[in-house]
């Protein structure tokens, strides 16, 4: 059962699905928020990206990413199978097009954990279907603390991510919504509120006129 608010998923008004893009500086808690949203909302599916970086020990093919070499990645781009793609931290990342288009047409929503470059491209490719949610850390000191305590990166990597954070944050104005992840539970609740409100936007409710006609006819 979904916590997202029953209004949209059970509404009798047919609608097109939407793309919810989460972007944030590395270490802000984007992945934790992504996991929580997927657990709590039945109508939301993750867009599983293709990447040329190596899998981490806990990562599974087709669950966290599709892991491919550069040649296979480039072939997907060349054949138009990538909705968006970008270079991040020296590796290639991209979102396969087909699962997204199928989900939207079926009224299902797709969650993207991608960077601002990808967000721009998805927004251009699917105008009107994309909602951008930017997640801010409470402070740079807290961001550095989180990067250090997750203990997954070397000192050089932490410094590189901290340096990138400031330029990453400069893109916040391109997004529709922004929240500060101070307390994870609160951030998740706010992200769910954005999702629910976005589903209820008039422009997404493609079955509205039919519903209104039936309603007014008393059926
Ligand atoms: N444009 C684009 N960016 C992606 C895609 N998949 C992942 N990313 C971004 O690439 C960055 C690095 O992702 P990962 O290699 O999984 O590393 P991570 O530890 O999760 O990095 P952070 O989440 O930034 O802390 C993150 O900002 C992701 O959001 C994609 O398909 N397209
Ligand atoms: Mg991440």
């Amino acid at each position: 059962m979904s916590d997202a608010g029953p209004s949209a998923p059970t509404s009798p008004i047919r609608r097109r699905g939407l793309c919810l893009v989460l972007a944030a500086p590395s270490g802000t808690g984007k992945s934790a928020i992504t996991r929580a949203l997927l657990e709590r909302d039945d109508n939301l599916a993750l867009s599983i990206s293709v990447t040329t970086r190596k899998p981490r020990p806990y990562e599974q093919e087709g669950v966290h990413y599709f892991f491919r070499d550069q040649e296979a990645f480039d072939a997907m781009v060349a054949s138009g199978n990538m909705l968006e793609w970008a270079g991040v931290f020296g590796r290639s990342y991209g979102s396969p097009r087909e699962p997204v288009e199928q989900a939207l047409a079926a009224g299902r929503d797709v969650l993207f954990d991608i960077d601002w470059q990808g967000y721009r491209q998805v927004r251009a490719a699917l105008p009107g279907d994309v909602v951008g949610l930017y997640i801010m850390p409470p402070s740079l000191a807290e961001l550095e603390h989180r990067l250090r305590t997750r203990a997954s990166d070397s000192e050089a990597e932490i410094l590189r991510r901290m340096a990138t954070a400031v330029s990453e944050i400069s893109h916040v104005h391109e997004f529709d919504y922004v929240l500060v992840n101070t307390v994870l539970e609160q951030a998740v609740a706010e992200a769910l509120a954005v999702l629910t409100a976005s589903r209820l936007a008039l422009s997404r409710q493609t079955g509205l006129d039919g519903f209104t006609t039936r309603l007014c006819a008393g059926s």
Side-chain angles (χ1 to χ4, degrees):
M1 186 56 203
S2 155
D3 273 346
S7 43
T10 60
S11 168
I13 304 175
R14 204 167 26 80
R15 70 178 176 91
R16 187 166 161 79
L18 60 83
C19 297
L20 179 63
V21 178
L22 301 188
S26 183
T28 304
K30 187 170 54 171
S31 301
I33 294 171
T34 297
R35 270 197 306 278
L37 292 179
L38 292 170
E39 264 167 32
R40 292 185 205 188
D41 194 297
D42 297 339
N43 201 52
L44 192 63
L46 182 67
S47 165
I48 301 167
S49 297
V50 182
T51 182
T52 61
R53 83 152 163 72
K54 296 273 169 292
R56 296 170 183 156
Y58 60 87
E59 285 179 329
Q60 288 167 269
E61 165 73 15
V63 175
H64 298 91
Y65 281 104
F66 296 106
F67 297 95
R68 295 289 179 274
D69 60 21
Q70 192 68 52
E71 197 180 330
F73 187 95
D74 293 344
M76 282 189 78
V77 172
S79 58
N81 288 337
M82 240 32 135
L83 183 61
E84 64 77 30
W85 61 278
V88 186
F89 301 130
R91 300 287 182 184
S92 298
Y93 294 82
S95 309
R97 179 188 300 275
E98 207 181 299
V100 177
E101 289 181 346
Q102 281 175 359
L104 294 186
R108 289 194 310 275
D109 306 307
V110 186
L111 184 64
F112 291 78
D113 171 347
I114 61 178
D115 79 330
W116 63 269
Q117 307 174 81
Y119 168 63
R120 269 191 189 170
Q121 296 172 52
V122 176
R123 204 167 177 113
L126 300 167
D129 289 336
V130 181
V131 178
L133 172 57
Y134 199 88
I135 305 164
M136 290 273 207
S139 67
L140 285 184
E142 175 61 23
L143 185 65
E144 186 165 353
H145 174 72
R146 289 181 191 174
L147 282 172
R148 289 188 185 284
T149 48
R150 78 179 184 181
S152 55
D153 304 306
S154 66
E155 181 65 21
E157 187 63 31
I158 289 169
L159 293 178
R160 189 154 68 117
R161 285 173 185 243
M162 284 304 295
T164 314
V166 175
S167 60
E168 166 72 51
I169 286 169
S170 71
H171 294 283
V172 65
H173 293 104
E174 299 175 31
F175 287 75
D176 302 303
Y177 296 91
V178 58
L179 64 84
V180 180
N181 181 19
T182 307
V183 176
L184 180 64
E185 260 317 298
Q186 178 69 24
V188 171
E190 290 172 354
L192 284 170
V194 167
L195 180 59
T196 300
S198 302
R199 284 172 171 160
L200 297 177
L202 206 74
S203 60
R204 296 218 165 74
Q205 309 219 31
T206 44
L208 179 61
D209 288 349
F211 176 75
T212 310
T213 305
R214 289 193 302 280
L215 185 80
C216 294
S219 55

